[in-house]
Amino acid sequence: MKVIRLERWADFVDLTSAQAGWAFRGETSAQWPLVSSLTRRLQTYCDDKSLWPLREERALRIFRRKAHIHLADRSALDDDLRCLALMQHHGAPTRLLDFTKSPYVAAFFALEDATGDAAVYALNTPVLWTATPAFDPTLTRERIDPRVAGNYARYFLGNRWPVLWCGEPSEMDRRLVAQSGLFVVPGVLDEPLERILQHYGRTDELIVKIVLPFAMRAQAMSALYRMNVTNASLFPDLEGLARATAYELEVVWERLIDEYRARQGALDAPAAPQR
């Protein structure tokens, strides 16, 4: 995997503008491997990899059996990708990896809570749209499409095929629309994304890791704020608005600072002597 370390926000803008049609994912730490939340959970608490398919299948079954209680329309539970997206949206570990068509949205998610070097991964989806794995060229994107009934169990749930599918569910929620989001679905859980892509045997650059140093954060977050890339816009609900106040703590205009200091100075001034 090609790794590019940038020093200026303008360099990120220039680089990603040349990656038209690619998909992007932000990671708060440049040291983290590119794996799903389900992989992280299973690696931490479930040592026996042979049982991972059983555990994932059970979690999906239990969610479907109970989620209808909280839904006005249960149709999403009958569609594998929509059901997984619903689970992911509400905090369940799944094999879906959130990507976005916007490099700026990815940069926001990478830098918002960063305390060190962050990373944005750029995925060459225009090439992957037609690419097939070298070990079986018949495994096209259309053939393994998890939106087709039965395909998720056939090509993904068994954790046997090192393939990758990327795209959107048949119906999208408000957050996915606001974030220009799409999902990457890996066929195996015990390999990071870049290793799965090696099975495709392409000479094209399929994935690029863009390292964003912490020193860039203030400049980048300020630019993203002016572009209205904030939690309030990316999560168009009360939770998103509340989360957005975290960055508002960092943003104070000079005029407000001057006014605040003037008020404090007036409060601290000694009282006029009594006559």
Side-chain angles (χ1 to χ4, degrees):
M1 177 172 55
K2 185 176 181 180
V3 179
I4 301 174
R5 182 181 177 88
L6 303 179
E7 299 301 332
R8 301 183 307 133
W9 173 247
D11 296 332
F12 179 81
V13 174
D14 291 342
L15 174 63
T16 55
S17 66
Q19 295 171 320
W22 289 42
F24 304 87
R25 176 179 173 85
E27 291 284 0
T28 299
S29 171
Q31 306 304 315
W32 290 349
L34 195 52
V35 297
S36 69
S37 59
L38 179 60
T39 292
R40 295 185 195 279
R41 185 80 181 184
L42 292 172
Q43 286 177 337
T44 303
Y45 299 109
C46 310
D47 293 336
D48 189 345
K49 292 182 180 180
S50 68
L51 296 179
W52 286 6
L54 173 67
R55 296 179 186 277
E56 181 186 9
E57 182 181 17
R58 179 175 180 272
L60 186 56
R61 184 174 66 251
I62 289 174
F63 182 82
R64 279 182 158 137
R65 194 163 57 208
K66 300 178 180 180
H68 70 91
I69 299 169
H70 308 285
L71 298 173
D73 177 9
R74 69 173 312 280
S75 62
L77 302 178
D78 300 323
D79 180 307
D80 288 323
L81 191 59
R82 288 181 65 200
C83 183
L84 288 166
L86 186 64
M87 293 173 69
Q88 180 110 327
H89 176 112
H90 291 281
T94 78
R95 74 167 64 216
L96 304 184
L97 286 102
D98 292 300
F99 274 73
T100 171
K101 298 171 187 175
S102 167
Y104 306 117
V105 172
F108 175 83
F109 285 129
L111 292 169
E112 179 198 10
D113 294 321
T115 56
D117 290 354
V120 167
Y121 290 89
L123 187 67
N124 193 345
T125 46
V127 169
L128 285 170
W129 219 255
T130 57
T132 55
F135 62 84
D136 188 347
T138 68
L139 294 176
T140 62
R141 179 178 181 276
E142 290 74 20
R143 180 179 169 185
I144 67 173
D145 190 339
R147 297 172 299 188
V148 176
N151 272 3
Y152 188 74
R154 186 175 298 112
Y155 297 111
F156 299 92
L157 198 55
N159 207 39
R160 295 188 302 269
W161 304 99
V163 294
L164 180 150
W165 184 89
C166 54
E168 303 161 344
S170 55
E171 293 185 12
M172 301 170 68
D173 62 29
R174 285 187 300 169
R175 290 185 177 184
L176 204 58
V177 172
Q179 297 168 15
S180 297
L182 70 157
F183 295 117
V184 169
V185 190
V188 292
L189 294 170
D190 54 348
E191 294 186 15
L193 203 61
E194 63 269 21
R195 194 177 305 160
I196 294 175
L197 290 171
Q198 291 175 5
H199 294 283
Y200 281 73
R202 298 290 297 242
T203 57
D204 313 76
E205 200 72 64
L206 294 182
I207 190 168
V208 176
K209 180 179 181 180
I210 307 169
V211 178
L212 307 179
F214 183 71
M216 180 195 294
R217 182 184 180 278
Q219 181 188 26
M221 290 296 291
S222 177
L224 293 167
Y225 187 85
R226 293 195 301 273
M227 295 165 63
N228 195 34
V229 180
T230 69
N231 273 312
S233 61
L234 299 176
F235 299 91
D237 49 34
L238 188 60
E239 180 185 347
L241 178 60
R243 289 167 60 170
T245 60
Y247 185 65
E248 295 293 349
L249 296 171
E250 301 179 41
V251 182
V252 181
W253 314 123
E254 289 297 327
R255 175 180 59 81
L256 296 178
I257 294 175
D258 292 341
E259 291 177 358
Y260 174 77
R261 286 175 173 164
R263 291 201 308 270
Q264 291 301 109
L267 291 173
D268 295 338
Q274 297 288 331
R275 292 197 178 188

